[in-house]
Each structure stands twice: as structure tokens, then as C-alpha cells.
Amino acid sequence: MQPLNDEQLAALRAWPSPAISNAIETFQVRARNYGAMTPDIRCHFPEMEPVVGYAVTCKIRASVPPDQDPEVRVERGDWYDHIESIPTPRIVVIEDLDDPPIGSFWGEVNANIHRAFGCVGVVTSGGVRDMEEVRELGFQFLAKEVLVSHAYVHQVEVGGPVTVGGVTVNPGDLLHADLHGCISIPHDIAADVPAAAQMVEDRERIIIDYAKSAEFTREGLMERFRGGFTRPREEP
């Protein structure tokens, strides 16, 4: 995987996630109902611009103390090693093993720490807190819940595949997230997605502009659909 350069990343950030989704569909590299997370993974700062980054992954649990959890084998340094093994910018993706989530890994402290590590946001099936402080920091939260306590939260696995919002995310996967939700972008088409998004936008604009026009008729609309979203040829 060759990381995208700053210009390519900026081109992806310039589009909302629905446009990214539409663009990915044009390449026919995966089923249309895969890659976008389910709506329970909700954006909590919808006023922020889209974030794009490479996934760093872990699994957490908060319902039992770490010394009572037989799965615990993670040291803080292991997590930081994993983060630094992934290109920047980074998005943290966390699978919460508690159902329902009971303790938040995320708040003002971890948001500041991970921002310093080049992370731009978190996507989690668990919870988040310290909402006002993190909003001011400009660190994006997409999460299933907003929680009061961190309880006994601890990491039980880092650097492996996780499942969040119905999507399996592997370390290094490229993600795009905004007020609509989160979607993964296949690496082999990532550099071409912005151009594809513009192509789809240009096609859709024909229909939108016609629907807004005083000349709108049902027959004219159907003609444009039959033409594959192209403008009808004018008679000489």
C-alpha cells in the first residue's frame, strides 16, 4: 500500500461521504451494500469538515477490571508502537466488546494524546465523553454512545481486524468520515475516487438543474434518464 500524498488526501476531504460512496460504486470493486458503517455509529460533531485517515485498531472492554480479564495482554507501549506503524493521518477504530457499552476509552485526555500522534478522529462501537472539550480541539468523534464514566476500560487487543458498524476494518485501511457516517475506500482506487466523484456530480447536476428549471416536464425528465444523465441533443 502506497500512502496518498497531501494533495490526494485533500481531494478526498473535499467531498462528503455520500459522494465518496457514489464514486466507489462506479469502479464496481465491491458490493454496494458493503463498506459504509451502519447508522448506529453516529457522528457527534457534524459541523466539522470530513476527516480522512488510515485505520489504527484495537478492542476494548470496560465491564471488568483489567486484572480480572483473562484476555488482557496489552501494554501502553504496544498501542503506541502500532499507531506509529501506520501512515498519517490516522483514524482510531475501536471495537467495544461490551454490549451495551459501559465505559468510554475516549475523552479530552486521549483525544489530545492521539491528536499528538497524528490521529484526526475515532470511530467506535463504544462510547465517548468530554464532548465540549473535544469539539474545541477539532478531533472528530463517531461513536455508538455518549457515556459518563470510563469504568474499567482497557485494551484487550491492538493491531488486528475489528468490526464496527458492520464493517470489518484492518490496520491501514483508508477511511472517510463526516456527518453522514464512515466509509472505507479501497486502496487500489483511492487516488481516482475524487475524479469519479466529480463525474457523478456532473451527471447528477443535469437532473437537478432540470428539476429546478421552468421548462421541467415529466417527458423531459424521462428523456434525460434515458440518455444516461446526459443533456438531450438540441435540434439544429
Side-chain angles (χ1 to χ4, degrees):
M1 184 266 292
Q2 179 66 36
L4 300 180
N5 60 39
D6 290 344
E7 182 179 356
Q8 291 169 321
L9 291 166
L12 288 172
R13 287 194 300 269
W15 291 96
S17 56
I20 296 295
S21 179
N22 289 347
I24 293 171
E25 289 177 5
T26 68
F27 294 92
Q28 300 183 10
V29 293
R30 69 184 182 200
R32 291 188 176 189
N33 61 344
Y34 186 78
M37 293 185 183
T38 49
D40 55 318
I41 310 302
R42 186 168 63 88
C43 176
H44 290 277
F45 304 136
E47 72 280 4
M48 291 185 186
E49 297 296 321
V51 293
V52 176
Y54 296 98
V56 295
T57 63
C58 74
K59 297 179 182 180
I60 62 170
R61 184 179 286 117
S63 54
V64 297
D67 59 3
Q68 297 178 23
D69 191 336
E71 294 187 62
V72 170
R73 56 185 184 276
V74 177
E75 300 292 336
R76 193 183 301 272
D78 296 334
W79 174 234
Y80 296 157
D81 287 345
H82 169 56
I83 292 174
E84 292 182 324
S85 74
I86 301 297
T88 59
R90 303 166 175 127
I91 293 178
V92 184
V93 186
I94 295 186
E95 180 179 350
D96 194 325
L97 300 179
D98 292 323
D99 188 16
I102 192 172
S104 175
F105 186 84
W106 287 98
E108 183 180 13
V109 174
N110 262 333
N112 275 279
I113 290 172
H114 287 79
R115 185 171 179 266
F117 273 106
C119 301
V120 295
V122 62
V123 180
T124 178
S125 58
V128 292
R129 63 179 191 163
D130 296 341
M131 307 302 287
E132 293 302 324
E133 295 88 345
V134 176
R135 177 184 282 111
E136 291 179 7
L137 184 65
F139 191 86
Q140 185 59 277
F141 274 171
L142 284 87
K144 187 174 182 180
E145 306 287 356
V146 175
L147 299 175
V148 173
S149 171
H150 53 62
Y152 295 108
V153 71
H154 55 277
Q155 294 171 308
V156 299
E157 181 182 317
V158 303
V162 296
T163 301
V164 175
V167 176
T168 298
V169 178
N170 291 288
D173 283 357
L174 183 61
L175 303 178
H176 182 290
D178 64 5
L179 74 165
H180 301 93
C182 181
I183 188 168
S184 65
I185 303 174
H187 288 299
D188 56 348
I189 64 169
D192 300 318
V193 164
Q198 186 65 60
M199 179 191 70
V200 175
E201 165 69 16
D202 292 344
R203 290 168 51 195
E204 290 181 342
R205 191 55 49 188
I206 294 169
I207 299 299
I208 293 170
D209 289 347
Y210 183 65
K212 291 180 176 180
S213 73
E215 291 75 31
F216 177 84
T217 64
R218 171 179 171 174
E219 291 74 18
L221 178 65
M222 294 304 295
E223 182 178 355
R224 282 159 175 79
F225 276 121
R226 285 193 297 269
F229 287 70
T230 58
R231 299 185 186 279
R233 185 177 60 186
E234 295 183 1
E235 296 296 330

